[in-house]
Amino acid sequence: MNCSNYYPELQEKLLDLEHINIRNKALMAAIQDIMLVSDSDGHISPFAVSNKKDDPLTLEILRNNEIVRRLQEAIYQVVQKREMVTCDFRLKYQGRDYYFESRIHISEINEILILVRDMTERTLMEMQLREMAERESLTKLYKRHCLINKLAEFHGKGFEKLTVLLFDIDGLKIINDTFGNLKGDEVIVSVARIIHDHFRLIGYIARIGGDEFCVIVEGLSSQEIEQQLKQMNKMLHKYNEQTDALKISLSSGYSFHRTGIVNTEWMFQEANNNMYQNKLLKESSNRNDLVKTLMRALEAKDYITEGYAERMGELATQMGVALRLPQSKLDRIRLLTKFHDIGKVGIPDRILCKPSKLNEEEWKVMKTHCGIGERIAAESSELKSIAHLILKHHERWDGKGYPLGLKAGEIPIECRILSIVDTFDAMTNDRPYREALSEAEAIKEIVSCSRTQFDPNLVLLFKEIIEKSS
């Protein structure tokens, strides 16, 4: 054998092996995946030349018995099928969730190669996109289409103890009309939180409309559902007691499927009918309670001075009696003197309580209180009869009032009377920006505005009543 020919050939092969080794190391350094190896019995260890072999996540994966068990199950499948198998798993490390995808291959020498790729960023992005698609942004509850899909899972199948519950926020329209949609959104979020806190462990919860929510509950009897509703109502009552905000009222109804084939379309309709029956039974009292709550909120703003409604009611009634108005009009006058400014509950404090003159934009906002008040009154059985009067109580005799620009006899008599007694009361009581005038000074001012702001005949009558009482 010619050694001179052999050694150069051997050196060349060794050099090629060294180049291959260098290239493999560079390749391993470039690969960001965690590389593991295993024998066919599932003994897993880090790949010797991997740059990730001492990485904390690599070591944590190998210490996690549940993850190792799942990888071993995948390894057994690879050994049997002789083809690649994927395995996903999650690892909690230092308070953070990591998501991994592993690909398991078998070599020709029966060595198992495991490539573990960190999919955390991609998985979190997918979860966020799924969240955006399935949950609405305001309450974080499932959207209506998700609920429809959930109901479809039960439809036409045999099932025992399935309940569809519906909830509706009472008076949300009044709240939106009075305080604006932002305040309405606050109420929606509060209701969503109460429903979620109570049913999150036992039900599938969705917001299915502006003021409606639906919960699907499996496995509870009708008696248990009734108990759940009582407990949630206690939570709602406790919330109302502890908050200074608007009190929340909910109407509810449910449909219970005991056993057999499920018809979710019929169940949803029955729950909806029961909810609206519940709403109708208490609608009048709920709306009246809400109007009273709004009135208390107006009083809490310190806009209404002590004895204001009583003084106004007495003077206005005296004028009505002197005019020989029927009792129905006298009753409306009494209500109007008390509730004509209820729409001011929807005016921001910075405008309502401003001690100086309002600017043009602020005045535009202030004038909206007539329309707001009309909408509130229209929702109350007690105040519905004076809703149109609340809208018109700032009209002037000369037609330069608001919001409709009515004049003279077009203005209801109740509003013409209120206009005079309201102005008189305002002038004869202290305000943040001025001291009270005497009765004589106030009457003089009112007389000077006869035929412009006030009905001249009513001005003469009012002057006579004040002078007699003095």
Side-chain angles (χ1 to χ4, degrees), residues 31-36 50 52-53 55 57-58 61 100 114-118:
I31 295 175
Q32 293 302 306
D33 294 346
I34 296 172
M35 300 189 67
L36 307 173
S50 171
K52 295 272 190 177
K53 65 181 179 181
D55 184 77
L57 283 176
T58 303
I61 287 171
F100 295 94
I114 307 169
L115 273 69
V116 181
R117 177 162 295 180
D118 187 346

Side-chain angles (χ1 to χ4, degrees), residues 61-89:
I61 287 171
L62 294 174
R63 292 191 194 106
N64 190 298
N65 294 331
E66 177 61 25
I67 293 175
V68 169
R69 184 188 62 77
R70 291 193 62 191
L71 289 174
Q72 287 173 338
E73 289 176 355
I75 288 169
Y76 298 151
Q77 291 182 42
V78 168
V79 171
Q80 291 173 359
K81 296 179 180 180
R82 311 294 294 183
E83 61 184 32
M84 186 190 76
V85 172
T86 60
C87 173
D88 299 334
F89 58 86

